Amino acid sequence: MSMFDISERAEKYRAQLLEFMDSHVYPAEAVYDEQMRAAGDPHFQPPILEELKAEAQRRGLWNLFHPYAEWGPGLTNLEYAPLAEIMGRSHLAPEACNCNAPDTGNMEVFTLFGTDEHKEKYLKPLLAGTIRSAFAMTEPAVASSDATNVELSMVRDGDEYVLNGRKWFASNALHPNCTVLIVMGKTDPEAAPHRQQSMMVVPIDAPGVTVLRGLPVFGYQDREGHAEIDFENVRVPRKDVLKGEGEGFAISQARLGPGRIHHCMRAIGMAERALELMCRRASTRITFGKPIAANANIQDWIAEARIDIEMIRLLTLKAAYLMDTVGNKEARTEIAAIKVAAPNIALKIVDRAIQVHGGAGVTDDFPLAMAWAHLRTLRLADGPDEVHKRTLARQELRKYRDVKADN
Ligand SMILES: Cc1cc2nc3c(=O)[nH]c(=O)nc-3n(C[C@H](O)[C@H](O)[C@H](O)COP(=O)(O)OP(=O)(O)OC[C@H]3O[C@@H](n4cnc5c(N)ncnc54)[C@H](O)[C@@H]3O)c2cc1C
């Protein structure tokens, strides 16, 4: 298959998903806002979302992300890319289709490294959408973009480990259905830098786990919540160490590649929606006797948005194609490149769409302000821009390591 072919089954899902978005998801956005307002609790699980989940399941638009046929349709990354892009157009669609971060990454971890017990207790209900999960790596006390700094202590005591430390930004941990955390911490401070950390499965209600607060993001309390969590003498049985002691880095490499590119696919969907809103608004609002769209600078923004979207889409597809053909590890340079490019470019397009909307752009009458806040966090979450650029630069410089200075 060439990189640009869309398989028959991906095309089928695409058509079905587009129909589902039009018939159910976009109309649900206003209902969602209404139900959330009435509940007065930012972490409320509104009935409309459960209705969307049931409908998506009924239509077979469920777990499309999962690469293993045993657990989902088994689509390749290249097949999934246009589908994730469509879901990215509405903040409701990823959870409606059970394709939302961080659960997708956690489901992949449980699939690859979980025991039979983990699969029964966590993977199956996650795949059914009845529970949610969080991933706790980042810590307030250390610069966590260098994950070797992560220091929550995991000390062996007989058949258990005892966990002490503080995490923050554990997304999803305030979701009312969240039951489980995957926690990264330090089991052996003396080991080689990439063998010091391990990942463990910790029920969110384990004694000693305290969710302290939900961190606001640009003033928003996201529904899933980004939690600060304290761990005080939390006892974890050895059987709940994923893959084995010292394997934390190996697992995060496996987990973060797909998770990152999924964010990029959805960011393209957000950019497409922003461009659509920008064009609609600019065509219908009149200033100084003509539509806003008649101004050359606005047309320039629209043209640039189209060019930029096409570029990031192609790079995303290339990264997805490489993940499918040579593997996530070999595709890391392209993944790093798109993880920088997609959020930045989508952010620029959303920003211009906001500008074209005037004051309305920063209200919640349009999905633009929320999209901007979310995209801005993507320049940090799953690795800040600078860390991905570091990966890229090191890869480029490697080509010149034998170059001698002229003298
Ligand atoms: C909305 C949101 C959701 C998140 N969800 C999760 C989650 O579910 N689970 C989780 O564990 N974490 C999560 N995070 C945390 C995120 O992954 C971290 O914030 C990120 O990895 C950066 O770590 P840090 O905040 O400790 O920044 P630091 O490590 O303190 O870095 C600060 C800044 O230093 C700069 N920097 C770092 N290294 C270099 C370098 N080599 N060269 C130049 N500049 C550099 C970068 O600009 C970086 O932003 C989330 C964050 C946000 C905002």
Side-chain angles (χ1 to χ4, degrees):
M1 190 171 87
S2 102
M3 197 181 120
F4 297 101
D5 288 339
I6 293 191
S7 71
E8 215 171 285
R9 62 178 180 166
E11 187 48 49
K12 195 184 92 211
Y13 281 122
R14 206 176 77 87
Q16 290 175 347
L17 195 54
L18 285 170
E19 209 281 309
F20 177 56
M21 296 292 290
D22 285 338
S23 63
H24 287 79
V25 179
Y26 300 129
E29 287 178 350
V31 183
Y32 172 90
D33 287 345
E34 196 46 52
Q35 292 184 351
M36 291 305 289
R37 247 192 303 273
D41 167 8
H43 308 300
F44 177 65
Q45 181 73 353
I48 184 72
L49 201 48
E50 292 302 323
E51 287 165 28
L52 286 177
K53 281 164 66 180
E55 185 60 27
Q57 227 164 344
R58 201 181 64 70
R59 292 168 175 243
L61 297 171
W62 191 254
N63 293 334
L64 297 176
F65 78 93
H66 208 297
Y68 300 95
E70 188 189 350
W71 304 102
L75 300 177
T76 62
N77 287 293
L78 195 58
E79 289 174 314
Y80 180 58
L83 308 178
E85 179 186 322
I86 295 168
M87 290 181 224
R89 293 173 60 98
S90 169
H91 69 108
L92 298 181
E95 187 170 344
C97 298
N98 215 40
C99 289
N100 56 294
D103 293 302
T104 50
N106 293 341
M107 285 187 251
E108 286 191 45
V109 168
F110 282 127
T111 305
L112 291 171
F113 308 111
T115 60
D116 288 345
E117 189 191 336
H118 295 144
K119 288 183 178 143
E120 249 347 277
K121 208 165 157 189
Y122 301 119
L123 179 59
K124 284 188 180 170
L126 278 168
L127 286 162
T130 52
I131 66 164
R132 302 285 73 175
S133 61
F135 180 67
M137 184 165 84
T138 305
E139 300 181 2
V142 295
S144 304
S145 52
D146 174 359
T148 59
N149 287 335
V150 162
E151 64 183 14
L152 175 137
S153 75
M154 299 174 148
V155 177
R156 180 85 179 269
D157 181 22
D159 250 5
E160 293 178 327
Y161 286 85
V162 183
L163 276 50
N164 280 288
R166 178 75 58 96
K167 294 287 177 184
W168 73 348
F169 282 105
S171 301
N172 235 12
L174 288 142
H175 194 297
N177 301 343
C178 183
T179 64
V180 64
L181 309 171
I182 294 178
V183 182
M184 174 131 152
K186 202 165 265 195
T187 33
D188 185 359
E190 306 303 321
H194 292 91
R195 298 283 312 165
Q196 295 183 1
Q197 268 90 7
S198 304
M199 280 195 203
M200 299 188 188
V201 179
V202 183
I204 200 166
D205 60 358
V209 175
T210 312
V211 176
L212 298 170
R213 60 172 176 149
L215 300 161
V217 172
F218 292 114
Y220 290 106
Q221 273 292 346
D222 288 342
R223 187 168 47 79
E224 71 276 23
H226 310 286
E228 180 164 358
I229 307 179
D230 189 53
F231 294 77
E232 194 189 351
N233 295 323
V234 179
R235 304 194 79 87
V236 177
R238 262 179 81 188
K239 64 181 174 50
D240 290 333
V241 179
L242 287 165
K243 197 169 186 287
E245 214 188 283
E247 297 286 348
F249 266 90
I251 300 173
S252 49
Q253 287 320 307
R255 181 190 186 284
L256 290 174
R260 283 177 182 147
I261 195 168
H262 294 169
H263 279 309
C264 297
M265 296 166 182
R266 288 188 292 263
I268 297 169
M270 273 178 229
E272 276 286 5
R273 187 152 184 210
L275 175 57
E276 179 186 327
L277 290 169
M278 175 156 59
C279 291
R280 285 182 188 280
R281 186 81 171 179
S283 302
T284 52
R285 298 276 282 192
I286 311 288
T287 60
F288 309 103
K290 58 183 182 186
I292 290 171
N295 294 291
N297 70 314
I298 305 293
Q299 292 185 10
D300 191 60
W301 291 355
I302 290 169
E304 276 193 4
R306 174 51 62 215
I307 295 166
D308 284 347
I309 288 174
E310 296 301 323
M311 290 199 296
I312 52 174
R313 185 181 285 124
L314 277 178
L315 184 50
T316 303
L317 291 177
K318 180 181 176 191
Y321 177 75
L322 288 175
M323 289 165 79
D324 292 336
T325 50
V326 293
N328 298 353
K329 197 161 168 244
E330 293 301 316
R332 66 185 179 283
T333 318
E334 284 75 12
I335 295 174
I338 194 61
K339 176 60 178 60
V340 176
N344 277 285
I345 286 175
L347 203 49
K348 184 172 87 180
I349 296 170
V350 170
D351 189 72
R352 287 176 167 178
I354 288 175
Q355 193 68 13
V356 164
H357 279 71
V362 294
T363 68
D364 57 8
D365 285 3
F366 291 91
L368 295 166
M370 194 207 269
W372 192 92
H374 174 69
L375 286 165
R376 183 64 186 80
T377 70
L378 272 192
R379 293 189 50 207
L380 298 162
D382 279 3
D385 291 352
E386 293 72 21
V387 171
H388 295 300
K389 285 183 177 170
R390 175 177 177 270
T391 304
L392 281 162
R394 283 158 59 108
Q395 193 70 20
E396 285 299 318
L397 288 169
R398 192 163 295 161
K399 300 175 196 163
Y400 306 98
R401 67 184 152 195
D402 296 329
V403 172
K404 307 240 179 330
D406 293 334
N407 50 16

